[in-house]
Amino acid sequence: MTNQSDRVETGKICLVMPPSIFLLDERVFVNLGLLKVAAVLERAGVPLDVLDLSGIENFEAVLEDYCVQNPETRLFGLTSTTPQMPQTARIARCLRRAQPAARLILGGPHVTLIHTAYKKEVKRGVPDRATRAFEQLDAMFDVLVCGDGEDAVFEALRADAPKVIDANLKSSPLFMSNARYEAHPFPARHLVDLKSYHYQIDGFPATSLIAQLGCPFACGFCGGREAPFLRRIRNRSVANIVREVADIHRDYGYTGFMFYDDELNVNPEMVALMNALSDLQMSLGTAFRFRGFVKSELFTPEQAQAMYRAGFRWLLSGFESGSPRILENMNKKATRADNSRCMETAHRAGIKVKALMSLGHPGESTQTATDTLDWLLATQPDDFDVTIITTFPGTPYYDHAVPTGEPGIYCYTYRKTGDRLFQIELDYNETADYYKGDPNGGYRSFVYTDFLSPDELVTIRGDMEREVREKLGIPFNPAQAAVRYEHSMGQIGGGLPDFIHRRANTSSPVP
């Protein structure tokens, strides 16, 4: 790679975190991806500001004020997940008005996954909805950064930067390696008002971190399954992860930590990490509480016991469905028995489980939804989240769907069973309410199957929510529910930005 300071355009860059107005509470977890990019820029001596618009209702006025007070700032770097795009588009338009000479750079999951799908359409020679979506981004921004952002940002800052910087290629020198992941600085949390974010794990003040990047599985509903920067695992050493936890505790006093890794137990060093976290607490003379995600079929009693010793009292797992047919159709690689065993293993170790469930997969019917309801009542999770899936760009459901001939309707077919999922095309720059509606009756579905209409999916979801909570005694607190989309749509990523997951666009946990 060339020296990072070579031909970088001089002047300050302002990194912008867009609002996430679809969340009931935006001040839960800070955007770690953007703060990772800020950290590498800061270490390289690039002057920068971070403008955190999370939870800011009049964010356009804030942007205008910033431009007035900082007329010399001509570089703006934005990150966006798919659900944030309507607000990100408004930010871009506002900056064009307030600072016409500005150069706007967009990175993050949305542009990366749109570009991935766009390249497939180019290869097939059939331009379609991904091409239209990519052309919108191309017209709106001066530089598009796809994939890991920590090194690609320096290319984006060059005066002669190309329009598209594709770091989402394993062959690219900008693609994150294990060694560079380890060597990069921790997120620059000091550049935001971290204490304005509020979250607790069992009463312990908490914040988030990401220990490893990527998820190797290929679930049909999950974003980035064919994008290397979200598909390929990149690891840090146990010592490096533990040092970040220790630094956060020392600098900010946090004793609660949410691991936003896709699946903690994909890491072969997971038990060693748990043991090291236990040792850290013993050396500090304090106790921590942790929370994170596991893959059910990989979960073992040894892992559960090590996690409990380390301070895990809650786990989350994307069980998704109680129907064997639906688990097959989503390519989950976990069986109903695997999921039940995971729940039992965690409970036996003294760890509570939040079951992440979803409706609206290919072949979904009244019977498969009933299977999910019955499984929840039988296994008795301590909390749960049931959502209607969204076909984000970068999900196999989106990337492999074809036009039906009816305007704006696409169809994905799972080839092993022939079950189908229909999707209503959306303009991501305008529509965000598809991501997750208000749990108190504000849901909308933009998918349907051969057996259930969008309205029927919404009704079934609501009925399931009420019945499970009533029969299992799980209270529903609308002030806490879905504080961040804790479910699996796979748009967290690691480079540019944190979010959604699965852990996504991905998708903030609620105790």
Side-chain angles (χ1 to χ4, degrees):
M1 292 179 58
T2 58
N3 188 299
Q4 289 178 332
S5 62
D6 289 349
R7 293 159 50 215
V8 170
E9 187 170 303
T10 58
K12 182 165 58 177
I13 180 171
C14 178
L15 300 179
V16 182
M17 296 182 188
S20 303
I21 64 170
F22 47 88
L23 303 179
L24 299 184
D25 187 347
E26 299 182 48
R27 286 276 168 174
V28 177
F29 288 135
V30 71
N31 187 314
L32 293 177
L34 198 71
L35 294 183
K36 281 283 284 184
V37 173
V40 297
L41 290 171
E42 190 175 50
R43 187 167 70 177
V46 177
L48 76 150
D49 290 328
V50 172
L51 200 56
D52 182 1
L53 301 179
S54 302
I56 306 299
E57 190 170 341
N58 61 333
F59 63 89
E60 289 176 285
V62 173
L63 283 166
E64 291 167 356
D65 288 346
Y66 177 87
C67 291
V68 169
Q69 296 169 20
N70 299 271
E72 76 287 352
T73 301
R74 304 295 177 87
L75 295 166
F76 291 86
L78 289 77
T79 181
S80 187
T81 59
T82 300
Q84 291 174 303
M85 270 309 300
Q87 313 317 315
T88 303
R90 287 176 60 186
I91 289 171
R93 291 191 291 267
C94 179
L95 288 173
R96 291 296 188 201
R97 295 192 304 269
Q99 181 52 286
R103 184 145 64 100
L104 305 186
I105 303 165
L106 177 68
H110 180 72
V111 62
T112 300
L113 301 183
I114 286 291
H115 187 244
T116 300
Y118 161 72
K119 288 190 294 185
K120 289 186 175 68
E121 292 183 359
V122 169
K123 187 175 181 179
R124 292 196 301 264
V126 184
D128 201 352
R129 56 180 174 170
T131 298
R132 292 191 293 273
F134 179 74
E135 289 173 347
Q136 285 182 315
L137 297 177
D138 184 68
M140 196 179 306
F141 295 92
D142 300 297
V143 181
L144 302 175
V145 176
C146 304
D148 298 306
E150 287 89 331
D151 294 313
V153 68
F154 293 98
E155 299 296 313
L157 293 181
R158 291 184 173 185
D160 60 347
K163 186 61 184 281
V164 178
I165 298 169
D166 193 355
N168 186 35
L169 297 168
K170 288 182 283 188
S171 60
S172 170
L174 302 174
F175 190 81
M176 185 76 69
S177 65
N178 287 347
R180 290 216 309 285
Y181 187 33
E182 176 101 2
H184 280 314
F186 300 140
R189 293 175 173 89
H190 61 280
L191 295 179
V192 296
D193 182 8
L194 198 60
K195 290 299 183 181
S196 69
Y197 286 78
H198 43 85
Y199 178 60
Q200 292 188 346
I201 300 175
D202 281 359
F204 288 59
T207 191
S208 59
L209 72 155
I210 299 173
Q212 68 183 11
L213 305 178
C215 175
F217 297 96
C219 300
F221 59 84
C222 194
R225 296 311 87 212
E226 296 177 13
F229 101 119
L230 287 176
R231 181 75 184 273
R232 186 169 182 175
I233 292 178
R234 274 74 58 78
N235 288 315
R236 294 189 278 151
S237 68
V238 168
N240 187 263
I241 298 166
V242 172
R243 183 161 62 87
E244 183 174 6
V245 172
D247 286 358
I248 295 170
H249 173 67
R250 180 198 64 215
D251 295 341
Y252 302 101
Y254 285 109
T255 51
F257 302 89
M258 173 69 192
F259 279 95
Y260 245 111
D261 302 37
D262 286 300
E263 316 285 0
L264 276 167
N265 59 338
V266 169
N267 185 349
E269 297 296 316
M270 197 269 267
V271 171
L273 173 60
M274 297 301 112
N275 292 338
L277 290 171
S278 299
D279 293 342
L280 172 64
Q281 293 165 77
M282 188 171 296
S283 69
L284 293 173
T286 190
F288 292 160
R289 287 292 178 267
F290 296 101
R291 202 164 179 265
F293 300 85
V294 295
K295 192 77 167 70
S296 65
E297 73 272 25
L298 303 179
F299 195 53
T300 67
E302 181 188 16
Q303 293 172 0
Q305 292 158 14
M307 296 181 90
Y308 185 86
R309 288 196 305 272
F312 275 82
R313 297 297 181 268
W314 277 94
L315 292 181
L316 305 92
S317 188
F319 302 118
E320 309 302 345
S321 178
S323 165
R325 175 177 178 173
I326 297 301
L327 290 171
E328 167 65 24
N329 286 348
M330 70 175 72
N331 195 32
K332 185 62 184 173
K333 306 300 184 187
T335 66
R336 179 176 168 131
D338 290 329
N339 293 341
S340 298
R341 184 169 51 250
C342 175
M343 190 91 73
E344 294 166 4
T345 299
H347 283 163
R348 197 175 299 120
I351 301 174
K352 296 178 181 179
V353 179
K354 182 171 183 180
L356 306 180
M357 314 303 292
S358 51
L359 293 169
H361 298 276
E364 196 80 76
S365 66
T366 301
Q367 181 58 57
T368 63
T370 299
D371 291 342
T372 295
L373 172 65
D374 291 345
W375 183 83
L376 285 168
L377 295 176
T379 57
Q380 299 188 11
D382 303 279
D383 197 1
F384 77 105
D385 182 359
V386 58
T387 67
I388 298 172
I389 64 102
T390 295
T391 54
F392 285 131
T395 65
Y397 287 174
Y398 177 100
D399 289 358
H400 296 288
V402 297
T404 62
E406 184 178 350
I409 305 297
Y410 288 76
C411 178
Y412 168 87
T413 303
Y414 185 62
R415 59 181 177 81
K416 292 184 180 179
T417 63
D419 280 332
R420 301 190 297 178
L421 175 67
F422 297 92
Q423 311 160 27
I424 302 169
E425 185 179 11
L426 298 164
D427 182 345
Y428 302 109
N429 297 327
E430 299 296 333
T431 306
D433 58 354
Y434 62 88
Y435 184 58
K436 181 169 183 176
D438 182 343
N440 293 315
Y443 269 89
R444 296 179 66 190
S445 174
F446 291 90
V447 298
Y448 59 95
T449 71
D450 286 308
F451 312 105
L452 294 173
S453 69
D455 288 344
E456 288 170 330
L457 281 167
V458 170
T459 298
I460 288 172
R461 193 221 71 83
D463 291 345
M464 185 182 298
E465 172 96 18
R466 286 186 291 273
E467 183 171 350
V468 173
R469 291 192 180 277
E470 178 181 342
K471 290 185 176 180
L472 296 186
I474 300 173
F476 178 67
N477 182 349
Q480 290 185 335
V483 170
R484 170 160 294 186
Y485 197 25
E486 194 159 50
H487 213 72
S488 26
M489 294 297 157
Q491 287 212 11
I492 266 198
L496 287 168
D498 156 275
F499 189 41
I500 289 106
H501 158 341
R502 186 169 200 64
R503 279 143 305 249
N505 196 333
T506 86
S507 168
S508 320
V510 184

